[in-house]
Amino acid sequence: MRDALLATLSAIVGPRWVKSRAPELVAYDADGLPGYRALPNLAVFPGTQSEVVAVVKALAAAGVSFVPRGAGTGLSGGALANDVVLLGLNRLTQILRVDPVNRIAVVEPGVVNAKLSRAVAPYGLQYAPDPSSQSVCTIGGNVAENAGGPHCLKYGVTLNHVVECLVVLPDGRFIRAGSAFGESDEYDVLGLFVGSEGCFGVATEITVRLVPLPDSVHTMLADFPSVNAAARAVSRIVATGIVPAALEMMDNATIRAVEASIYAAGYPTDAAAVLLCEVDGIADGLDEDVAIIRECCMESGARNVLVASTEADRVRLWQGRKKAFGAMGRIAPSLVVQDAVVPRTRLPDVLETIHEIATRYGVQVCNVFHAGDGNLHPNIPYDANDADASARVHAAMSEIMLACIAAGGTITGEHGVGLDKLPYMESLFTAESLSAMCTIRDVFDPDRRANPGKVVPVHSCKEWHRGGNRA
Amino acid sequence: METSDISNAIASAIASPTVVRAVGSGTWLHGGPVENDATATVVKPRGGVIEYTPGDLVISVHAGTTLEELSATCAVSGQMLAIAPYGSPRSTIGAVVATATAAPLAYDDLAIRDLVLGLTVVTGTGDIVRVGGKVVKNVAGFDLVRLNTGAFGTLGVITEVNLRLHAKPSMDHVVTGTLDGSPWDWVPRLIANRAPLPMLVRLAPDEPAQLFARCTGNGARASALRGIMQSYGVRNAFTVGPSDTSSAHEQVPMIAALRHVPDHALVLRIRTELSGGDAMLEHVRKLLPDATLLYNPSRGSVRVVTDPGHEDDVLVEQIETQFGRTPVHYSLVAEQGAPPRHDTSHVHAPIKRAFDPHGVLNRRRATFTPKPYVR
Ligand SMILES: Cc1cc2nc3c(=O)[nH]c(=O)nc-3n(C[C@H](O)[C@H](O)[C@H](O)COP(=O)(O)OP(=O)(O)OC[C@H]3O[C@@H](n4cnc5c(N)ncnc54)[C@H](O)[C@@H]3O)c2cc1C
Ligand SMILES: Cc1cc2nc3c(=O)[nH]c(=O)nc-3n(C[C@H](O)[C@H](O)[C@H](O)COP(=O)(O)OP(=O)(O)OC[C@H]3O[C@@H](n4cnc5c(N)ncnc54)[C@H](O)[C@@H]3O)c2cc1C
C-alpha cells in the first residue's frame, strides 16, 4: 500500500520530492510546538498547483489522510502528521501577479509573508498582517491559522486581507472561495475557510489585498513600575478613539530576556512592564496622537515615555519585541508560546492569576503580548527532555488557559487550536456548538482525511455519539 | 422571542411540517418565496442589551435590537458601531448581520463582517449554537460566525450578537462637495486615495456628481483629510455631519437621505475591479439615464437605484453583455439571498443541507427571477 502510494506520488512530483525514509522524515516530525513529535508516513512536495491537485486526487483515490504544511512554524501542532502523508507546500513560492492599481496580489501558498511585503513595497504598498514569524512563515499557513501580528490592532488579521482563495478540496475538486472583486451574496465560504487549519482543503492560490504604506510612523516606548499601571494605560489609550497601529506589552521577565540577548533594544530592565506603541498614517495629526498617548501613559503612572526619533531607533525598539521569543531561547532549550485572549478590562487580574499559577508550579512565565486586543502570550521556557519540568509546565498552562476562559476570554487569538488546544474546546463551547463545527467539516471533508484529529475533538460530533450509542 | 422559544418553534415546524421565517423590524422583507408562503411561522428575536462593558469596547445584544437603540446605548460611553448601513435606523442588528448589508460611509471602511465577534444561532434542526466569542480576537474552531453573516437566515436564526465597538474619535465629520466633469476625470484620483478616507459618490440624473467623505481623527487629521478630499477637484465643499464630537450621522437629514431609497425602487449592486469604476459608471449611466448611482471608490461597488419598471435579470444581462469587462460581479439587493450566479453550488447546497436538513428556514431562490425592490 505504502509502496504503491510512493510510486504514484513519485510519478506525479518526481522521486526527489517524495520522502519516505525515516531519516528524511525526521525533519518534518515537529512544528513550533515543543514536546510533541509525530513522524509522517510519507512526505510529498509538489512543485506546481496542478501537481498539488494530482497529489490530492491520488490520496483521495487511495483513501489516505494528509496534513498540509507550510513553513512548520505553527505553535499549536497543526502541521504535525502522525503516520499520515505530509503535504509540503513550501515549493510553491511564486508571486503570480501584483496589481498595484487594484491593490491586490495573487500568490502561491508557499510565499513567505515578509517576502510578499518586500515585493510590493516598491509600489508604496504592504501586505499588512505581520506575524512575528513573518520572516519564515508562509501565506498559506497564515490563511489556515488566520494569523495575526502586532499591527493587527489597526490593520486587522489575515481574514481582513485575503479576498479570494483557490482551494483543492480533499476529494480533489476545486472551489473558488471569495472573489477578488466581489461583494458576494453567496455564503462567506472564504470567511469560513480562513482559519480552518487545513481541515477543509488546501489553499493553492491566494489573492490578498494590499494597503498603502503609511506616510509617517511614530514609535514610543513607555515604562511602568507595575503591570497594572501599564494595563490601565492601554485602556485609556483605546478609550480616546485613537487606534494605534500597535500596542504591545512586555513584562519584566521578557524585558530581561531581551536585554540579555543579542536583540537587546535598550528596554529599562528595572521596569515592571513596557508598552510599545506605534501610530501611523498620514503625517498630519500624528504629533497630536503621540502627545495624547504620552499623557495617557503618564496619567496611568508611567515613569517615562520615549519617542523614537530616528528610523534606527524605531527598528531597534521593534527588534526587541519581534525577537522576544528567540531571546527566551537563551533561558531554556524549549519554549511554550501560548496564545489566549481576555477582555481588556480583565488584563490586570488575569496577569496576576498567571503569576500566581506560575509561582505555584515553580515555572517562569514571560508575558509579551498584543495588549490592545487583550491577546496574551504567556510563554514558559523549559527543558522538554525533563519529564518533571514538562509535567509542571503542562499543568500550569492548563490552569492558565482555564483562567482565561473563566475571565470571559478564549483559548486562541491567532495561533489556532491545532492539537495542543483540543482539550479546552469543550470548556469553551457547548456540545451543540462543537457538533455544528463537525457538521461543517463534513461538508468539505466527509471522510475526515484532511488534517485528521485537529481543531474539534472528534467525540464531540453527533454522529460519533450516535455511532457510539449503537455500539 | 427568546432563543429557546425559537428553538421550539423550529422543532414544531419540522414536525408539522411548515417553514420558519426570521424577521427583524420588517423593513426589508420583499422578495423570496418564504415571505409569500402564508403558512410560514414567523420568529422574531427579542431586542435589548445583554452585556456591555465600555472598557472592553464590546457589546452583547439580543438580535432584535435596532440600530437606533444600539447607537444610543453606545453613545452614552462615547462609542459607536462602525457601520452606517443603507436602509432604516429601525433595522435590527440581527438582520444587518443576516444580510451583511454594506455601509456607504462606515468609519474606517469597516464592514459588519469585521465587527461581529460572536453569535448565537438556532439552526434548522433547532440546535442552539454559540459561535465565536466576546473578545476582539478569537480563532478557536471553525468560523461559523462568518458563515452566518450574510446567509440571509438560511442557515439559522440569529438570536444574540456580540459586537466590537469603536471609541468615537475627537472629530468625525462628513464633508461633501461637487465633482466636475465625467467619471473619467475623477475616478482614478479617488481610487488612488492613500488616506483612510471612506468616500461615496452620488450621481443623480442631471446633477453634478456629489462626493461625500468621512473625515475623522483629531482636529489636525480631520482637517488634513478634508484638504485631501478637496484636492480631488471637489468644489463648494461643506460639512454636513455634526461638527462637534457627537458624530450622530443618522440624525443628519442629508446623510439619512443617502441611506434611504424611495418607495418602489429597484436596487442593484454591482462591483468591478477598482480600476474599472469609471467605465462602469459611464456604462450604467448610458443604460439607465434615470437611475441614481451610489459609487464607493474604495470598494469599486455601485448601488444602482432605479424604478421597478425594469426587470432586474434583463438589466443584469444588459449590463453584463454590453459592458463586456471581466471580472465584474453583480448581485441584486432587490432579492433576499439570490442564488449564486457563479458555480459554487457543490459547496453551497451541502452547506444549506447541513444546517437545515428539513428545509424549514429561509430559502434561497431556486431560479433567478425578477423581483423588484418594492416597499
Ligand atoms: C517565533 C514565532 C513567532 C510567531 N508569531 C506569530 C504571530 O505574531 N502571530 C501569529 O498569528 N502567529 C505567530 N506564530 C505562529 C505561526 O508562525 C503562524 O501560525 C503561521 O501562520 C504558520 O504558518 P506556517 O507556514 O509555518 O504554517 P504551518 O505551521 O506549516 O501550518 C500551520 C497550519 O496551517 C495548515 N496549512 C499550511 N499551509 C496550508 C495551505 N496552503 N492550505 C491549507 N492549510 C495549510 C497546516 O495544516 C497547519 O494546520 C509565530 C510562530 C513562531 C515560531
Ligand atoms: C437603500 C437600501 C440599500 C440596501 N442595500 C442593501 C445591501 O446592499 N445588501 C443587503 O443585504 N441589504 C441591503 N438593504 C437592506 C437592509 O439589509 C435592510 O434594510 C435591513 O437589514 C433590514 O432590517 P430589518 O430588521 O428591518 O430586517 P427584516 O426586513 O425584518 O429582514 C431582512 C432579512 O433578514 C432576515 N433576518 C432578519 N432577522 C434575522 C435574524 N435574526 N436571523 C436571521 N435572519 C434574519 C429576514 O429573514 C430577511 O431575509 C438595503 C436597504 C436599503 C433601503
Side-chain angles (χ1 to χ4, degrees), chain A residues 179-200:
Chain A
S179 151
F181 307 111
E183 179 180 23
S184 166
D185 53 3
E186 303 169 358
Y187 291 140
D188 188 357
V189 175
L190 179 69
L192 178 67
F193 182 76
V194 173
S196 61
E197 304 194 33
C199 295
F200 291 178

Side-chain angles (χ1 to χ4, degrees), chain B residues 107-288:
Chain B
Y107 174 70
D108 215 11
D109 262 333
L110 288 159
I112 192 72
R113 180 187 193 249
D114 309 319
L115 302 169
V116 191
L117 304 174
L119 295 175
T120 301
V121 181
V122 187
T123 68
T125 52
D127 283 354
I128 299 168
V129 172
R130 290 176 205 280
V131 287
K134 285 185 186 167
V135 279
V136 295
K137 242 168 135 189
N138 62 75
V139 298
F142 302 130
D143 198 342
L144 299 176
V145 174
R146 245 43 68 177
L147 189 63
N148 278 283
T149 303
F152 285 85
T154 58
L155 303 178
V157 178
I158 298 167
T159 60
E160 293 176 17
V161 185
N162 306 333
L163 295 159
R164 172 182 195 166
L165 302 175
H166 281 75
K168 286 180 183 171
S170 61
M171 291 284 186
D172 189 359
H173 299 178
V174 174
V175 181
T176 185
T178 54
L179 288 159
D180 282 343
S182 75
W184 301 110
D185 302 321
W186 42 261
V187 167
R189 267 181 286 160
L190 298 187
I191 62 166
N193 163 46
R194 296 176 49 82
L197 190 57
M199 293 185 285
L200 187 79
V201 180
R202 180 174 178 274
L203 273 163
D206 305 321
E207 284 177 32
Q210 191 174 15
L211 177 70
F212 294 81
R214 189 164 182 179
C215 303
T216 55
N218 57 41
R221 177 159 319 113
S223 75
L225 289 175
R226 188 188 169 114
I228 289 173
M229 177 204 170
Q230 281 174 289
S231 74
Y232 298 137
V234 172
R235 305 204 312 158
N236 312 319
F238 62 97
T239 302
V240 291
S243 50
D244 60 9
T245 57
S246 67
S247 85
H249 292 128
E250 304 91 71
Q251 265 106 60
V252 180
M254 199 165 185
I255 297 171
L258 250 193
R259 290 169 50 183
H260 170 80
V261 156
D263 284 354
H264 308 298
L266 170 71
V267 184
L268 283 178
R269 63 180 183 192
I270 309 176
R271 188 161 173 187
T272 182
E273 69 267 55
L274 299 182
S275 58
D278 45 5
M280 183 173 59
L281 288 175
E282 203 77 31
H283 176 71
V284 177
R285 166 58 72 236
K286 271 197 207 112
L287 200 64
L288 297 167

Side-chain angles (χ1 to χ4, degrees), chain A residues 102-103 160 175 181-183 185 187-188 213 238 285 289 341 343-345 375 412 414 432-433 462, chain B residues 56-57 102 113-114 127-128 130 137 139 154 193-194 218 221 271 273-275 303 327 331 346-348:
Chain A
N102 289 303
R103 292 187 184 161
N160 303 111
I175 57 162
F181 307 111
E183 179 180 23
D185 53 3
Y187 291 140
D188 188 357
L213 284 164
V238 175
D289 283 352
V341 192
R344 217 172 6 236
T345 50
N375 187 180
T412 168
E414 53 181 19
E432 280 181 327
S433 305
K462 259 189 187 164
Chain B
D56 292 327
L57 288 155
R113 180 187 193 249
D114 309 319
D127 283 354
I128 299 168
R130 290 176 205 280
K137 242 168 135 189
V139 298
T154 58
N193 163 46
R194 296 176 49 82
N218 57 41
R221 177 159 319 113
R271 188 161 173 187
E273 69 267 55
L274 299 182
S275 58
R303 292 302 188 271
S331 59
H346 61 283
V347 181
H348 289 262

Side-chain angles (χ1 to χ4, degrees), chain B residues 1 5-7 9-10 20-24 41-45 157 361:
Chain B
M1 281 166 95
D5 299 333
I6 292 176
S7 170
I10 291 178
V20 165
R21 176 161 58 93
V23 168
T41 308
V42 169
V43 294
K44 189 170 162 36
V157 178
L361 296 176

